[in-house]
Amino acid sequence: MLERIKESLLGADEIGFEIQERPGRLRVGLLCSPLSLIFEQTPGGDVFTSLYCSASRIFSGDRTDLHDVYSLLAASVFRHTGAFSAMLIDIEHPATMIPGELSGRYLVPEQGAGYLLPPDDEGLDSAEELFGHLALFERLAHRTTTLWHPQQSSPMHDGYDPTRQTDQIWARGVAEQLQTEASEEDLFFQRDSTGWLYYRTHDGAVAVVESVEIAHFLKAVRVDPSEELAGINGFLYTGKHFHHYISREILHIADRVLGLDGVLVGSSSPAVNATIIPLEDSVVLSSGNRAVLLRHESGVSGFSRERSLVLERNRIEQERLFPPSEFTWSEEIDGGRFERLIYDLLECEPGVREVRAIGASRERDGGRDIVASWVTPPTAGAAVVEGEAAARERRVIIQCKARKRSVGRSDLGGGILDTLFMYKAEGYFLAASSQPAVATIDLLDEISQRGDYFTGWWGRAEIEQRLRRNPQVLRRYVDIVQPVP
């Protein structure tokens, strides 16, 4: 399989890519780039794929910040383009005793392309697609940043300077923001060639970079707020066919580090307030000139756990707010028959003294009005004179709408107040075979608050409640609604 992949990439050298080969392994990349594509043969015949991030070929000295920043930039772009969502696997430095120092990092595709390619044509196609994504990324990095290929420098001239105070002051500020996450063993760095300040906790749980260019780059590949869904303990992300999760605990840390003072954790949509890029085992967040990488179970497992909580909440809400219907309704409901059904239910309704139809049917959904003498309570906020009864009989106009969709304000025809004036009525009631739209309910509330008018409505659920209480009515309208066997 590796030989077939090598043959398919023979033209890569023409655009500057080099193919390095050793037994059971191919490495493809630009000599001037820290990123290369790795193909490794497995004992089972599949091919393990990953991206290898190492600045050793283009930079000398301590390169922990380069490995950290370059890998999070690359992973963010690959997610944005829909190539894959990656795990960031640290490669510890073999020659130092400094905790947290990186010798490099692997980007292992998890969602999307996946890290195992089968030894067939499908696997070969996937290998070629991965190379295409790498080539696309290299072009993007060259055109949009000045920091992807820093000039080679000596660590003496481009790195930590114990006499320089600016990076130490900045690092102390980050440590104060991290609070319990910070440690004396944390790394901090000011790199002149890229123009950034960098801080990394000794356990690798948090990395912070201060850079206008980095923040600008990440903003271009952030998740769209439309991908974001509020969960129970955090937020779910479903864009690019990937599933991710960010907890409010992580947002709380990001708020401190980014100086947002609780904006993210208190928001109904954090992606509106900051750059957010969830990966498989970490999350990138950015605001202003600062970006932070936080280790977090943000991939499929975190998403699945949070989704289970949401499903359980939805189950409880469904049981309490939308119990299983005991009725089936006809797909096509005759307006006249539906109006007669409401007429019969009104005659059974407590407080209704008299019911009669007025006018002629004007529309396909009935359109004829019903008027009822109805004993109703006071409207919300109304006062009652001492000695008078709280409830009184009103002349109420009832309009019936047989619709599949929700009944909107425009479905009510002329103005409701005009209808009340025309019939000298003191109340308006809507009966819908579906459900009044939110805007319609708001309108009815508004009318009741304008004066001493009674308003109300029945939707399908309210009608079904009355059919349970009045089975004799239900038996007359089996062409509209029937009990579930």
Side-chain angles (χ1 to χ4, degrees):
M1 181 62 178
L2 287 183
E3 193 62 32
R4 293 185 66 191
I5 293 175
K6 180 182 176 181
E7 291 175 0
S8 71
L9 301 178
L10 283 179
D13 57 347
E14 297 179 4
I15 56 175
F17 283 86
E18 179 188 55
I19 300 178
Q20 296 179 343
E21 184 177 9
R22 71 185 193 195
R25 190 175 190 266
L26 291 177
R27 176 176 172 177
V28 185
L30 296 174
L31 289 175
C32 60
S33 173
L35 205 61
S36 54
L37 183 58
I38 305 295
F39 299 101
E40 296 181 276
Q41 193 78 45
T42 69
D46 296 326
V47 174
F48 180 84
T49 63
S50 63
L51 285 161
Y52 175 57
C53 182
S54 173
S56 60
R57 295 190 295 183
I58 60 174
F59 209 90
S60 58
D62 183 8
R63 296 177 290 268
T64 295
D65 61 320
L66 295 169
H67 299 148
D68 208 351
V69 175
Y70 288 160
S71 61
L72 74 87
L73 289 180
S76 298
V77 171
F78 288 126
R79 185 199 185 279
H80 181 73
T81 60
F84 57 81
S85 175
M87 295 182 288
L88 303 183
I89 308 299
D90 292 346
I91 304 173
E92 296 181 355
H93 202 292
T96 70
M97 300 297 292
I98 302 175
E101 187 166 335
L102 297 179
S103 175
R105 179 173 273 165
Y106 284 110
L107 282 67
V108 180
E110 181 68 23
Q111 297 188 67
Y115 52 78
L116 284 180
L117 305 182
D120 54 22
D121 290 344
E122 182 180 348
L124 183 62
D125 291 342
S126 296
E128 293 174 348
E129 288 180 9
L130 285 171
F131 173 72
H133 284 294
L134 175 61
L136 177 65
F137 171 77
E138 292 289 358
R139 287 197 297 271
L140 176 67
H142 274 289
R143 293 174 181 174
T144 59
T145 73
T146 60
L147 52 79
W148 186 247
H149 299 145
Q151 296 296 319
Q152 184 165 340
S153 305
S154 165
M156 186 178 298
H157 300 101
D158 192 17
Y160 173 66
D161 182 353
T163 65
R164 186 165 51 193
Q165 297 297 312
T166 55
D167 50 354
Q168 296 185 38
I169 294 172
W170 178 83
R172 283 199 295 271
V174 174
E176 289 175 0
Q177 291 168 322
L178 287 173
Q179 299 174 6
T180 57
E181 288 84 359
S183 166
E184 293 182 355
E185 296 181 338
D186 295 349
L187 304 175
F188 61 92
F189 207 84
Q190 180 171 334
R191 187 170 294 277
D192 298 331
S193 62
T194 58
W196 68 49
L197 288 159
Y198 171 81
Y199 188 106
R200 174 181 166 88
T201 57
H202 68 287
D203 59 0
V206 184
V208 181
V209 60
E210 193 90 20
S211 167
V212 175
E213 194 167 2
I214 292 292
H216 180 74
F217 187 96
L218 292 172
K219 190 174 183 179
V221 295
R222 69 191 186 279
V223 299
D224 189 279
S226 63
E227 301 178 29
E228 191 172 59
L229 296 170
I232 306 299
N233 298 321
F235 292 84
L236 300 165
Y237 299 84
T238 57
K240 309 296 183 183
H241 308 291
F242 302 141
H243 291 159
H244 291 108
Y245 163 69
I246 299 179
S247 70
R248 286 190 172 85
E249 181 181 358
I250 286 294
L251 294 175
H252 181 66
I253 298 174
D255 269 328
R256 297 202 313 263
V257 177
L258 298 177
L260 293 178
D261 194 27
V263 168
L264 297 181
V265 75
S267 173
S268 60
S269 180
V272 172
N273 300 286
T275 291
I276 294 180
I277 305 169
L279 304 172
E280 288 305 292
D281 54 358
S282 50
V283 179
V284 181
L285 302 101
S286 178
S287 179
N289 299 333
R290 181 174 291 188
V292 57
L293 175 73
L294 299 169
R295 289 294 191 170
H296 179 48
E297 191 178 3
S298 50
V300 174
S301 59
F303 178 91
S304 298
R305 188 179 300 111
E306 185 70 5
R307 181 177 59 184
S308 295
L309 295 176
V310 173
L311 289 173
E312 178 61 19
R313 180 184 68 184
N314 290 347
R315 183 190 64 79
I316 295 173
E317 291 174 344
Q318 184 74 24
E319 288 179 355
R320 296 181 180 180
L321 302 179
F322 309 101
S325 177
E326 300 172 12
F327 302 91
T328 58
W329 289 72
S330 173
E331 283 292 318
E332 298 292 336
I333 299 176
D334 178 77
R337 288 287 291 161
F338 178 70
E339 179 186 303
R340 188 67 203 181
L341 167 64
I342 299 303
Y343 186 103
D344 288 355
L345 287 177
L346 285 169
E347 286 193 317
C348 302
E349 187 71 10
V352 175
R353 306 293 192 197
E354 179 186 8
V355 184
R356 60 189 176 90
I358 53 177
S361 180
R362 301 182 303 275
E363 302 175 15
R364 292 176 59 190
D365 62 357
R368 182 188 296 125
D369 296 324
I370 299 173
V371 64
S373 296
W374 201 336
V375 177
T376 64
T379 58
V384 178
V385 177
E386 179 70 31
E388 290 186 357
R392 65 184 177 88
E393 190 170 320
R394 301 173 189 262
R395 181 179 172 88
V396 178
I397 297 298
I398 298 96
Q399 286 192 326
C400 304
K401 298 293 180 182
R403 298 287 174 88
K404 291 182 180 179
R405 56 177 175 81
S406 297
V407 178
R409 295 176 66 153
S410 61
D411 296 319
L412 302 183
I416 292 178
L417 289 175
D418 290 341
T419 301
L420 295 175
F421 179 78
M422 180 174 62
Y423 288 115
K424 299 180 180 180
E426 300 173 278
Y428 175 89
F429 196 86
L430 172 66
S433 63
S434 54
Q435 178 77 11
V438 173
T440 301
I441 296 174
D442 291 342
L443 175 63
L444 297 181
D445 289 341
E446 181 182 341
I447 289 173
S448 68
Q449 294 167 9
R450 286 187 182 182
D452 189 16
Y453 293 115
F454 165 77
T455 59
W457 53 270
W458 287 346
R460 180 167 294 189
E462 290 73 28
I463 294 172
E464 289 179 354
Q465 289 176 359
R466 284 151 180 85
L467 290 174
R468 294 187 191 97
R469 294 200 300 258
N470 301 283
Q472 75 283 3
V473 175
L474 175 62
R475 287 192 292 269
R476 295 199 292 266
Y477 295 95
V478 291
D479 55 319
I480 296 177
V481 56
Q482 298 183 36
V484 174

